[in-house]
Amino acid sequence: MNVKINASWKENLQDEFKKDYFKRIVDLIKSEKESKNQIYPAGSLIFNAFNLTDFDEVKVVILGQDPYHGAGEAHGLSFSVKQGIKLPPSLQNIYKEIESDLGVKMPKKNGDLSTWAKQGVLLLNASLTVRADQANSHSGIGWQIFTDKVVQILSEKKNYLVFILWGNFAKQKMNLIDQSKHLILTSAHPSPLSAHKGFLGNRHFSKTNEYLMFKGIDPIDWKIVEP
C-alpha cells in the first residue's frame, strides 16, 4: 500500500501499512468519499504531522484526540488550525498558558502550529480523520491502533522525549510510554470545560524546555507570530 509519508516514518511504520486493520481504514475512507461524505482533513494532509516532523527530529509529542470537524479547520496537526481560521477555544487556552508560563505574547489570529512541528513537536491526533460536523466519527475505525503504535515506537526507539498528555483520553496512553527514559507531563484538557481544573497554570511549556536543555537538547521556541 502506497502511503505518502515522510521516508523516516515510512521506514519505522511500514509493517503497520501492510496490516489488515490499516487496509480497512483506507477502504472505509474511500467508501465514505465515494458516498459523498466530507472527510477532514484533506487527503494530502492526513499525515501532515509526520511529514512536518521527521522521526529522527522528534523531541516532543502533544497528543490530541480528534481532528477539528468544521470546514477548513483541520490540517493534520493536533490543536492547530490553518491561518485565517478563528482560534478554537482549546487553542486560545493553550496560548493563554504560554503567555502566563513564558511571558511570550501569542497571536489572536494565527492558530497554525506548523512552526512547532518543524522544530520537532509531533502534533499527533489519536484519530487522523473525521467526518464533517461529526466529532469522533472515525474514532472506532482503527486509527487508534495505528497511533498507539506510533507512540510505542517513539518510546522504544528514542530517548529523552517529552510526552504531553492533556485530558483523560490522552492520559490513557501513559502505559505505552517508557517512563524511565522519557518525561510525561499530564494535566486537565485545555477545553473551556476543563482548563480551569489544572490546565491553566500547568507550566508544561517551560517544563518541556527545562527537561530538553537538561538533556542537552535544543529547546522549543513556542512563540507563534501574527501573519
Side-chain angles (χ1 to χ4, degrees):
M1 185 170 303
N2 185 28
V3 175
K4 292 179 180 176
I5 192 171
N6 175 302
S8 66
W9 284 103
K10 197 160 198 173
E11 180 182 344
N12 283 283
L13 295 170
Q14 56 187 340
D15 289 346
E16 298 306 300
F17 299 136
K18 299 171 187 173
K19 291 180 179 176
D20 287 343
Y21 83 85
F22 197 88
K23 293 173 184 174
R24 285 195 295 271
I25 293 173
V26 173
D27 289 344
L28 186 141
I29 291 173
K30 282 181 180 175
S31 173
E32 291 213 3
K33 286 184 175 179
E34 287 166 1
S35 301
K36 301 295 189 265
N37 284 326
Q38 182 68 54
I39 305 298
Y40 298 134
S44 62
L45 294 173
I46 291 173
F47 293 101
N48 197 25
F50 303 91
N51 292 328
L52 289 180
T53 310
D54 191 282
F55 180 87
D56 299 325
E57 303 299 324
V58 176
K59 302 176 183 179
V60 181
V61 180
I62 299 182
L63 189 69
Q65 184 168 359
D66 199 43
Y68 296 119
H69 52 81
E73 294 178 326
H75 66 138
L77 306 176
S78 62
F79 297 102
S80 178
V81 290
K82 295 178 182 178
Q83 280 194 26
I85 299 293
K86 183 180 178 183
L87 299 190
S90 291
L91 185 55
Q92 290 181 39
N93 283 328
I94 289 169
Y95 279 7
K96 191 181 296 184
E97 176 56 25
I98 292 173
E99 289 192 358
S100 170
D101 185 13
L102 303 175
V104 171
K105 188 70 177 171
M106 299 299 281
K108 303 299 182 188
K109 296 182 179 178
N110 183 8
D112 186 347
L113 306 181
S114 296
T115 56
W116 294 0
K118 292 171 183 175
Q119 294 178 74
V121 181
L122 182 68
L123 295 161
L124 180 67
N125 276 318
S127 296
L128 298 188
T129 58
V130 69
R131 199 178 301 131
D133 303 319
Q134 296 182 42
N136 291 312
S137 48
H138 283 177
S139 62
I141 71 171
W143 277 128
Q144 290 189 45
I145 302 172
F146 177 75
T147 53
D148 281 1
K149 190 66 177 179
V150 170
V151 172
Q152 285 179 305
I153 288 173
L154 284 166
S155 176
E156 290 167 7
K157 294 193 175 184
K158 295 184 70 71
N159 294 312
Y160 311 136
L161 298 181
V162 181
F163 289 89
I164 297 178
L165 311 178
W166 294 326
N168 291 331
F169 174 83
K171 290 175 190 175
Q172 293 171 9
K173 308 297 182 179
M174 285 179 67
N175 65 332
L176 304 172
I177 303 163
D178 184 346
Q179 299 183 49
S180 70
K181 62 173 183 169
H182 302 293
L183 176 65
I184 302 176
L185 298 174
T186 65
S187 78
H189 194 276
S191 160
L193 299 174
S194 56
H196 63 286
K197 297 178 182 176
F199 174 80
L200 295 173
N202 66 23
R203 299 189 63 243
H204 280 181
F205 302 95
S206 61
K207 288 176 180 177
T208 293
N209 281 349
E210 287 164 7
Y211 176 82
L212 292 175
M213 288 188 288
F214 180 71
K215 297 298 184 182
I217 300 166
D218 289 339
I220 306 299
D221 179 1
W222 297 106
K223 184 177 178 62
I224 303 287
V225 297
E226 290 284 11

